[in-house]
Amino acid sequence: KERRVIHEQLQSGEMQILIGTHALLEDVVQFKNIGFVVIDEQHRFGVAQRAKMWNKNSQSPHVLIMSATPIPRTLAMTLYGDLDVSVIDELPPGRKPIQTIHRFDNHRDRIFGFMREQIALGRQIYIVYPLIKESEKMDYKDLMDGYESIVRAFPQPNYQVSIVHGQLKSDAKEYEMQRFVKHETHIMVATTVIEVGVNVPNASVMIIESAERFGLSQLHQLRGRVGRGAEQSYCILMTSHKLSSDGKLRMETMCRTNDGFEIADVDLKLRGPGDMAGTMQSGVLDLNIADLAKDSQILHAARNMVIELLSEDPNLEKIENANIAYQYSMMNSNRTNWSRIS
């Protein structure tokens, strides 16, 4: 009933602002005249999903996309000049930069000692695992096994431990979250369900198990769950000794900087920018010559030349542009062009 009223008010123009989740993407949600779309946590949406908001009007709305770590596709679009960028590079007043440390699995006893010190100071701790249960295919730490070892190392009644993961029912998940928010538990053992939207200022330690399993964007998002109070916060990246060169670079980058844009730049170099005219948000872009990470000046010059060419010959009808028109039509004859979707 409530939704029906909202839909009617949207279509009549009576409602000016609508805040929602992915539910806003549904076809049934129609606006009288949508002028401005803000997409927060942009990396949580696919290209085709974001395109749905672009297409809810006869004219494309103005769009602001927000993210702590821009996806490689977005960073590439800024290099092409299709996106204007605003960078917030200051912490809110009273916040301290998070100290990030990389440790190997054989340092676990020292980490437990550090956790006890932090709990004695009244702080709370997140421990994040990449898997809920043990996997035969992947040699990574899992939440169930980790929970058992944490409970053994931090026994009741001195310590209380919460557990949260995606297979819990929503009311059980909310109950565990509220226990942690109310400081009834000292440690929260979780999967990446806590990646966004969790705000507990008293939680000052984030431990990420098998951190090599996560991408840079996800590591930065998880780290952002701490550092929300006035106390010094810490992020500890736990890995095995078997690290690939890319894995080492990700750990070094996380320890070196808290700057999401710098992290996204490394992510672009590692994962590739994706497909500007397609829906891939990362991966190798099929450019024969250019390198987006190194050739931004040349690309800007090329873009300006394209703008100049199209202003003189918007439909590529001149004889001297026949080869360009042919090549472009061949490239796009059998595919949807997503290049306008940021």
Side-chain angles (χ1 to χ4, degrees):
K1 286 181 182 178
E2 287 177 25
R3 282 191 71 154
R4 207 158 43 234
V5 173
I6 290 172
H7 291 321
E8 288 169 3
Q9 291 177 335
L10 278 176
Q11 288 173 348
S12 69
E14 185 183 342
M15 182 177 291
Q16 286 95 19
I17 300 174
L18 180 62
I19 300 169
T21 61
H22 285 69
L24 298 193
L25 304 175
E26 294 170 10
D27 292 337
V28 71
V29 181
Q30 293 296 324
F31 300 79
K32 182 182 180 184
N33 184 20
I34 184 170
F36 182 43
V37 176
V38 180
I39 297 181
D40 194 16
E41 303 294 356
Q42 176 226 14
H43 56 282
R44 288 282 187 170
F45 298 83
V47 177
Q49 285 183 319
R50 296 199 296 277
K52 288 190 174 184
M53 295 307 294
W54 271 244
N55 296 329
K56 285 184 183 284
N57 216 29
S58 55
Q59 282 187 305
S60 295
H62 296 290
V63 178
L64 170 65
I65 52 175
M66 295 168 43
S67 177
T69 45
I71 53 180
R73 171 194 172 86
T74 302
L75 209 62
M77 289 186 85
T78 67
L79 290 174
Y80 274 132
D82 291 334
L83 280 177
D84 294 324
V85 182
S86 297
V87 179
I88 302 172
D89 56 5
E90 295 177 349
L91 290 171
R95 299 260 186 101
K96 296 175 182 173
I98 301 163
Q99 286 188 22
T100 306
I101 305 141
H102 174 214
R103 292 287 180 265
F104 294 109
D105 289 336
N106 57 353
H107 292 139
R108 195 163 301 281
D109 287 344
R110 287 170 60 189
I111 299 301
F112 282 174
F114 176 69
M115 289 167 63
R116 292 187 187 99
E117 289 171 12
Q118 289 294 305
I119 292 170
L121 291 170
R123 314 278 182 266
Q124 288 165 280
I125 297 166
Y126 296 107
I127 307 178
V128 176
Y129 290 85
L131 304 171
I132 296 176
K133 295 176 181 175
E134 187 176 3
S135 167
E136 292 179 7
K137 296 177 182 176
M138 294 183 285
D139 185 22
Y140 294 125
K141 296 282 185 282
D142 66 278
L143 180 140
M144 291 307 182
D145 185 48
Y147 176 74
E148 290 174 10
S149 63
I150 292 296
V151 169
R152 283 196 302 271
F154 296 86
Q156 293 181 330
N158 295 331
Y159 302 99
Q160 300 293 332
V161 183
S162 295
I163 185 167
V164 173
H165 56 78
Q167 291 179 6
L168 283 179
K169 290 183 177 177
S170 56
D171 53 348
K173 217 184 303 185
E174 182 61 24
Y175 171 73
E176 289 288 350
M177 285 301 311
Q178 287 306 313
R179 286 179 70 210
F180 193 66
V181 169
K182 293 173 186 173
H183 205 166
E184 292 172 6
T185 58
H186 303 99
I187 300 169
M188 173 174 283
V189 177
T191 56
T192 54
V193 292
I194 63 154
E195 185 182 332
V196 293
V198 177
N199 183 27
V200 183
N202 191 56
S204 64
V205 180
M206 166 65 70
I207 298 172
I208 304 175
E209 293 284 357
S210 295
E212 70 270 32
R213 170 69 177 80
F214 300 97
L216 275 170
S217 292
Q218 205 165 30
L219 289 171
H220 187 57
Q221 287 285 342
L222 287 167
R223 174 168 63 182
R225 298 309 99 205
V226 295
R228 292 171 170 260
E231 305 301 332
Q232 178 62 58
S233 289
Y234 304 89
C235 177
I236 302 171
L237 307 172
M238 301 293 293
T239 72
S240 67
H241 281 277
K242 294 185 290 184
L243 273 182
S244 66
S245 57
D246 283 2
K248 286 176 186 171
L249 180 57
R250 289 202 300 274
M251 298 308 119
E252 288 165 8
T253 302
M254 287 293 295
C255 293
R256 186 182 75 248
T257 182
N258 282 296
D259 183 335
F261 215 73
E262 187 179 340
I263 289 167
D265 196 40
V266 175
D267 203 22
L268 170 65
K269 290 167 186 168
L270 283 174
R271 294 202 292 153
D275 185 353
M276 297 301 103
T279 55
M280 282 177 60
Q281 305 201 111
S282 63
V284 177
L285 180 61
D286 189 18
L287 294 175
N288 291 330
I289 301 170
D291 179 336
L292 285 177
K294 297 176 184 174
D295 300 331
S296 58
Q297 288 183 321
I298 298 171
L299 287 163
H300 278 303
R303 175 178 175 267
N304 291 337
M305 289 180 72
V306 170
I307 291 170
E308 191 178 323
L309 185 150
L310 290 175
S311 66
E312 294 173 1
D313 184 15
N315 296 317
L316 299 175
E317 293 170 337
K318 291 184 178 180
I319 294 173
E320 61 265 34
N321 295 328
N323 283 341
I324 297 173
Y326 174 76
Q327 186 65 28
Y328 186 74
S329 66
M330 291 298 292
M331 281 171 58
N332 294 291
S333 56
N334 297 314
R335 60 190 294 187
T336 303
N337 189 348
W338 301 95
S339 63
R340 304 285 302 165
I341 307 303
S342 52

